[in-house]
Amino acid sequence: MSRPRIVIVGAGFAGYRTARTLSRLTRHQADITVLNPTDYFLYLPLLPQVAAGILEPRRVSVSLSGTLPHVRLVLGEADGIDLDGHTVHYTGPEGEGGTLPFDRLVLAAGSVNKLLPIPGVAEHAHGFRGLPEALYLRDHVTRQVELAAAADDRAECAARCTFVVVGAGYTGTEVAAHGAMYTDAQVRRHPMRTGVRPRWMLLDVAPRVMPEMDERLSRTAERVLRQRGVDVRMGISVKEATHDGVLLTDGTSVDTRTLVWCVGVRPDPLVESLGLPMERGRLLVDPHLQVSGRPELFACGDVAAVPDLNQPGQYTPMTAQHAWRHGKVCAQNVAASLGIGKRRAYRHRDLGFVVDLGGAKAAANPLGLPMSGPAAGAVTRGYHLAAMPGNRVRVAADWLLDAVLPRQAVQLGLVRSWSVPLESSSPEVARVPGGPERPTKDTGPTGKPPDGNETKNQPSGRAAKNQPGGEPAKNQPGGEPAKNQPGGEPAKNPPHGERAAGARGRSGSPRASGKPRRAVEAAGPRPARGGSGKASRGTGAGSARKRPTAPSGPSRSAGPPTDPGPEPPANQPPPGPDIAPGPVKRTDGRAAEGDS
């Protein structure tokens, strides 16, 4: 008799804990497969420290294959679930499709950025849900301070040194607190010519900072923020966002090049396609984390509406603490459905919360005991070390080095602004040029055919002309593509008002219609896929793209003409506004200008 097959969709706090606990409970009596777009578990609470240059990215990334040795890892994103056929359809990182059969299915796909219908936010703001977004923010903030230090115009310097964070919850508060320390350290080493100081703003419609926490801790966090010069404005949010700044709901206009969106999260849209009972976008489950009428289907984490047995009529909130404990109970109940152990209902006890405010400052209430100052800082970091499933020594070493050495404020240029659009069903995966074709409709989100005006502020596959965080590409050093592009035919550089056939709509979302669809961007050039017949949550057929033609005129490189090599992919975007200038290495051994 074959062993039962268990498929876990997602490897966040809930999915990772489910896989690890199931591996221990089943003891090789079941085949456990984890479907995840990345090969690591991301410890999200320490992500603000990555953006502030305290921790290296790999410190908060725990290897799945290294810590789940008896679990099969499949890289990809689920784009369709056939509950009657007991199969999960997915798309791999290079555009290939696949199917995973299951006897038990655990949905732990997590959450994505929460969007509000505010003009300009989707085009000009960036979220904070994954490593690509944290790396982009670190590079972007570093670049803005460096450009401001070299600017002679006081107004430009002030705009580049103004950083607006929307959302005063845990994430937004930590981003503002760590960001203020990071930019102050930069300015101490490289003072501004105009004497301007960095300015961080924290906005929220809530009446106080971190309304989820005890009021005393909220006051502590706000006091620390104001001591660091953070402009905390409660009861105020963004009314409109543009390339040059934001308009606030109180009528104030703020010139800025940085808008960080930390308003909140919403459940992954994957669960919407199942046609099962929902509660505010979350899949309804019973206290045993099982979907009613579907004994083979379990859900946990942010995609599951789990009844709160301590507060009848309510559901557990979407926090990492609940997701981590959901995973353990879900694993026990999945094992019980296979005849291993007994079922148990999910019941929690509040252990308190911790908020790291940078340096020795923190706000914490472990077991309901409010704390602040260095004592809270020690408790906070001790909690994170205990909660992390790996990399504890490396994290502690980075903290020690940060305490005795200055931070390295350099921009690596690994993530461009168009790689991390705010509206994405995959914030943990950065979009890359040359990815596989995706089915799209011929109309954008407005219902009109896509045209130049529709894509002028495009935040998706190509660099946006008016994207915050940099000047337009045509004025950027090295922004114009080299005519002798390495490994390719001379690339055509169309005007920003034009777009290639089949490009996405303005929102940058991988969903072409009201139905959600997940997309995985490839890590390298790949021919377009067509007519695959694979189940998908989106609708519409892929549009054909034209091959770029070579511009006329003499080559800018010296020496006789040589074989340009293979043609670049048709959907290769032009260099975006976040391009670091400098020579790149050609395949024929010569150097050419432009960005690789």
Side-chain angles (χ1 to χ4, degrees):
M1 183 177 177
S2 61
R3 296 189 297 181
R5 298 161 299 184
I6 304 173
V7 174
I8 303 171
V9 178
F13 280 90
Y16 181 86
R17 186 80 183 276
T18 300
R20 195 173 72 169
T21 307
L22 264 176
S23 177
R24 176 178 54 85
L25 293 175
T26 58
R27 298 183 182 273
H28 310 290
Q29 299 179 42
D31 292 328
I32 306 172
T33 301
V34 170
L35 176 63
N36 199 57
T38 63
D39 64 350
Y40 59 83
F41 158 75
L42 177 63
Y43 190 75
L44 270 170
L46 293 181
L47 204 57
Q49 298 192 24
V50 174
I54 300 174
L55 297 177
E56 289 302 312
R58 287 185 297 175
R59 304 297 185 257
V60 298
S61 310
V62 179
S63 170
L64 295 179
S65 57
T67 56
L68 301 174
H70 303 299
V71 175
R72 177 193 175 201
L73 171 64
V74 175
L75 291 178
E77 293 190 75
D79 54 23
I81 297 176
D82 183 358
L83 294 178
D84 295 328
H86 284 213
T87 55
V88 176
H89 304 276
Y90 69 92
T91 302
E94 295 185 351
E96 72 283 5
T99 302
L100 295 174
F102 65 84
D103 297 305
R104 298 291 185 275
L105 176 63
V106 178
L107 293 179
S111 54
V112 298
N113 292 311
K114 180 181 180 180
L115 294 179
L116 299 177
I118 300 176
V121 166
E123 293 86 356
H124 301 290
H126 289 283
F128 202 80
R129 289 291 301 164
L131 269 182
E133 293 170 321
L135 293 176
Y136 167 76
L137 182 61
R138 184 170 70 179
D139 274 4
H140 172 79
V141 171
T142 304
R143 179 174 54 258
Q144 295 307 308
V145 174
E146 291 172 348
L147 292 175
D152 294 321
D153 182 67
R154 186 177 181 85
E156 179 188 356
C157 180
R160 293 192 181 278
C161 280
T162 300
F163 308 94
V164 179
V165 181
V166 184
Y170 300 108
T171 302
T173 300
E174 289 186 341
V175 168
H178 283 281
M181 291 186 65
Y182 181 61
T183 53
D184 285 345
Q186 281 186 273
V187 173
R188 280 196 296 269
R189 290 194 294 269
H190 304 286
M192 303 290 174
R193 292 184 182 183
T194 58
V196 175
R197 299 287 300 177
R199 175 192 182 194
W200 284 79
M201 297 182 65
L202 181 62
L203 313 175
D204 202 310
V205 295
R208 58 186 175 90
V209 173
M210 294 186 302
E212 306 91 344
M213 295 190 71
D214 182 86
E215 189 172 352
R216 287 174 292 180
L217 297 180
S218 177
R219 289 197 301 266
T220 298
E222 184 172 348
R223 182 175 66 252
V224 172
L225 291 172
R226 294 190 183 278
Q227 288 173 352
R228 292 183 183 162
V230 178
D231 185 1
V232 181
R233 300 191 184 186
M234 295 292 99
I236 297 175
S237 188
V238 172
K239 184 178 181 180
E240 182 181 0
T242 65
H243 168 62
D244 298 320
V246 294
L247 177 64
L248 306 185
T249 52
D250 63 353
T252 306
S253 180
V254 179
D255 293 335
T256 181
R257 301 291 188 272
T258 308
L259 181 58
V260 187
W261 193 255
C262 301
V263 169
V265 296
R266 60 188 175 93
D268 191 287
L270 170 66
V271 296
E272 297 176 6
S273 63
L274 299 179
L276 296 174
M278 309 284 289
E279 171 64 29
R280 294 186 178 181
R282 293 196 284 175
L283 194 61
L284 272 175
V285 297
D286 61 21
H288 300 93
L289 308 180
Q290 196 167 17
V291 177
S292 178
R294 290 285 181 177
E296 78 284 1
L297 181 60
F298 296 79
C300 54
D302 289 350
V303 298
V306 182
D308 190 341
L309 299 183
N310 295 329
Q311 302 181 45
Q314 299 187 26
Y315 299 92
T316 58
M318 297 166 59
T319 64
Q321 188 177 125
H322 279 291
W324 186 251
R325 289 184 279 183
H326 283 177
K328 181 179 179 180
V329 175
C330 183
Q332 292 172 335
N333 291 336
V334 171
S337 71
L338 300 175
I340 304 172
K342 296 181 179 180
R343 291 205 314 167
R344 56 170 291 194
Y346 177 75
R347 187 184 296 272
H348 72 94
R349 179 190 175 199
D350 189 1
L351 300 179
F353 296 93
V354 295
V355 179
D356 189 347
L357 300 175
K361 301 296 181 66
N365 61 343
L367 302 177
L369 177 64
M371 301 177 66
S372 61
V379 169
T380 298
R381 295 201 167 183
Y383 169 81
H384 287 316
L385 286 180
M388 288 192 70
N391 296 345
R392 295 186 181 95
V393 175
R394 291 184 171 91
V395 170
D398 274 4
W399 283 341
L400 178 62
L401 291 175
D402 181 69
V404 298
L405 296 175
R407 296 181 196 174
Q408 295 176 298
V410 295
Q411 45 174 319
L412 301 179
L414 299 178
V415 182
R416 314 299 189 206
S417 61
W418 51 264
S419 298
V420 283
L422 178 62
E423 188 175 0
S424 171
S425 60
S426 306
E428 66 274 15
V429 179
R431 296 185 179 178
V432 296
E437 296 287 347
R438 298 292 175 202
T440 57
K441 273 193 175 289
D442 294 331
T443 58
T446 59
K448 299 179 181 180
D451 54 18
N453 296 329
E454 189 75 15
T455 60
K456 189 173 182 179
N457 294 328
Q458 173 115 352
S460 59
R462 55 167 293 174
K465 180 178 179 181
N466 292 331
Q467 189 73 13
E471 294 298 320
K474 63 180 181 180
N475 296 329
Q476 188 75 5
E480 200 173 298
K483 292 186 179 180
N484 285 329
Q485 195 81 326
E489 203 175 284
K492 183 178 180 180
N493 191 16
H496 287 285
E498 298 177 1
R499 66 175 291 161
R504 297 175 185 265
R506 184 190 311 180
S507 68
S509 171
R511 302 186 302 279
S513 65
K515 296 182 180 180
R517 179 174 64 85
R518 298 174 66 83
V520 179
E521 301 296 344
R526 185 176 178 88
R529 294 172 56 90
S532 64
K534 176 180 64 64
S536 172
R537 289 188 284 144
T539 59
S543 301
R545 296 176 181 263
K546 295 182 180 180
R547 182 74 61 182
T549 58
S552 59
S555 171
R556 287 191 289 174
S557 60
T562 58
D563 181 11
E567 292 185 352
N571 58 346
Q572 175 83 18
D578 300 318
I579 290 178
V584 296
K585 188 175 180 181
R586 289 178 52 90
T587 55
D588 56 5
R590 295 187 292 117
E593 297 178 350
D595 181 68
S596 56

